Amino acid sequence: MPLDTILLVDTSGSMAGRGMRELKSACRTFLDGVEETARQTGLKENVAIVEFNQRARIVQSLTNNYSSCRSAVDSLNATGQTAMFDGLMEALKEILQNGGVLRIHGLVMTPRIILMTDGQPTDRAGTEEAKKKALSAALGFGPVGWRQCGLPHPVPIACVGCGSCDMELLEAIAKLTNGMCVVGDVSELSTFFKRQVLLIRFAARFASDMERLRSQLALAAFLQELGEAVEQAEVEAMMRLLLAMVITSGGDDDEDERPALPQGPRASGGQRSLALPPGGSSASGGALGLRPSPFPSPSPSP
């Protein structure tokens, strides 16, 4: 079965104009990349498009018909507010109804969600209530709540924020789901989406070699080979996301065994990254203004 990826995208009114142009370009970059991965490696990736504005809807269910996905992307329009909770619920529904796990060379991998937003979530009860609801939804994808939601395994969320996004909220969502979180200018969305494609291409190449698969050095070398000069902090975040997706590496597919996630220091990369909290440190970054989430590396799922 192919890998499943949900593109959960903010199409609220604040994304109008340049924001929507950049978002659509990034989604097309992602789709071009997964199509190329299928040609190069035989690894197909099912993609779904879920949008949230004043409401949420599944624009395109999981499919490897990339022409249909491109048409879905072209249909997106910016309007209304930012119903992030509803978007997360629609993503959950799509995974429950149509999702599965990838099996390749003994490696078993869960679906993932790529969440993009440029603002704060909204709700009739106010912004703080909207944040609480978004966090409660995210909890259901992570190691604490996946069983209660009916998921077969935890599902990590890769968050990318730009504009006036709520950085702390996105970091918390990444933490709750063993995902990753980066921020940058809206013009950098395509870079982030491309690197998400390359992460899976890396997994396809080293699916039968767990030592290489969980090596940050191997990932950095692979990205550099493909022309991506990625800061160490972002490599670490990408590896954390990848290993959160790995359920087993051979043996009994019924066991929920996960490799240990990498340990390492946290840093801030990129001139566009937001200010670190008190006590943080910074480092100049590469093309993507990365600020990885300042939380301890998550433990393997129970």
Side-chain angles (χ1 to χ4, degrees):
M1 177 173 283
L3 177 70
D4 294 331
T5 296
I6 310 288
L7 300 183
L8 177 57
V9 295
D10 179 349
T11 57
S12 60
S14 60
M15 286 292 292
R18 178 177 174 233
M20 283 303 296
R21 291 193 297 272
E22 295 288 356
L23 174 61
K24 290 181 177 183
S25 177
C27 290
R28 293 187 195 104
T29 295
F30 183 84
L31 293 167
D32 291 346
V34 297
E35 198 164 24
E36 180 62 24
T37 297
R39 285 194 293 266
Q40 288 184 12
T41 70
L43 191 163
K44 293 185 178 180
E45 188 165 351
N46 287 335
V47 179
I49 314 294
V50 178
E51 70 167 345
F52 59 98
N53 40 62
Q54 72 267 21
R55 61 186 181 91
R57 68 183 181 109
I58 300 168
V59 186
Q60 172 62 60
S61 290
L62 285 163
T63 182
N64 53 33
N65 183 330
Y66 303 125
S67 293
S68 295
C69 291
R70 291 186 181 95
S71 295
V73 169
D74 290 342
S75 74
L76 298 176
N77 290 297
T79 184
Q81 297 187 320
T82 313
M84 186 183 293
F85 169 79
D86 294 337
L88 288 164
M89 289 295 95
E90 289 297 303
L92 175 63
K93 181 171 74 173
E94 178 62 20
I95 292 173
L96 290 173
Q97 291 179 347
N98 300 309
V101 294
L102 167 70
R103 288 174 170 82
I104 177 172
H105 303 308
L107 191 69
V108 183
M109 297 178 66
T110 69
R112 62 176 168 170
I113 295 172
I114 299 176
L115 166 63
M116 177 273 149
T117 183
D118 77 330
Q120 299 198 22
T122 54
D123 185 86
R124 291 179 181 178
T127 300
E128 290 306 311
E129 184 63 24
K131 292 179 185 179
K132 291 178 183 177
K133 289 175 66 174
L135 288 173
S136 69
L139 193 67
F141 291 97
V144 174
W146 62 274
R147 288 185 177 91
Q148 293 91 325
C149 288
L151 290 168
H153 304 284
V155 174
I157 301 178
C159 300
V160 55
C162 54
S164 58
C165 69
D166 188 321
M167 187 64 194
E168 291 184 358
L169 174 65
L170 296 182
E171 288 176 340
I173 290 172
K175 178 179 179 179
L176 289 171
T177 64
N178 286 353
M180 65 177 288
C181 177
V182 299
V183 291
D185 186 77
V186 68
S187 64
E188 298 171 311
L189 287 177
S190 290
T191 299
F192 175 81
F193 277 65
K194 178 183 178 182
R195 289 176 182 176
Q196 288 297 307
V197 170
L198 298 182
L199 182 64
I200 300 307
R201 203 171 295 175
F202 171 80
R205 177 181 290 188
F206 298 113
S208 58
D209 185 347
M210 277 303 296
E211 183 176 353
R212 297 288 295 278
L213 183 72
R214 65 187 306 273
S215 167
Q216 293 181 31
L217 290 176
L219 176 57
F222 176 82
L223 293 169
Q224 186 172 19
E225 174 187 326
L226 295 175
E228 294 293 311
V230 184
E231 286 292 308
Q232 175 59 31
E234 187 175 356
V235 172
E236 182 180 333
M238 293 173 70
M239 179 59 68
R240 184 168 60 246
L241 173 68
L242 176 61
L243 295 186
M245 296 172 67
V246 174
I247 305 167
T248 60
S249 53
D252 185 354
D253 283 353
D254 292 333
E255 295 179 7
D256 187 16
E257 297 177 354
R258 294 172 183 265
L261 281 92
Q263 302 292 326
R266 299 290 180 265
S268 170
Q271 294 179 345
R272 293 185 179 90
S273 54
L274 301 181
L276 286 169
S281 59
S282 63
S284 61
L288 186 65
L290 168 71
R291 178 189 166 189
S293 305
F295 48 81
S297 295
S299 301
S301 302

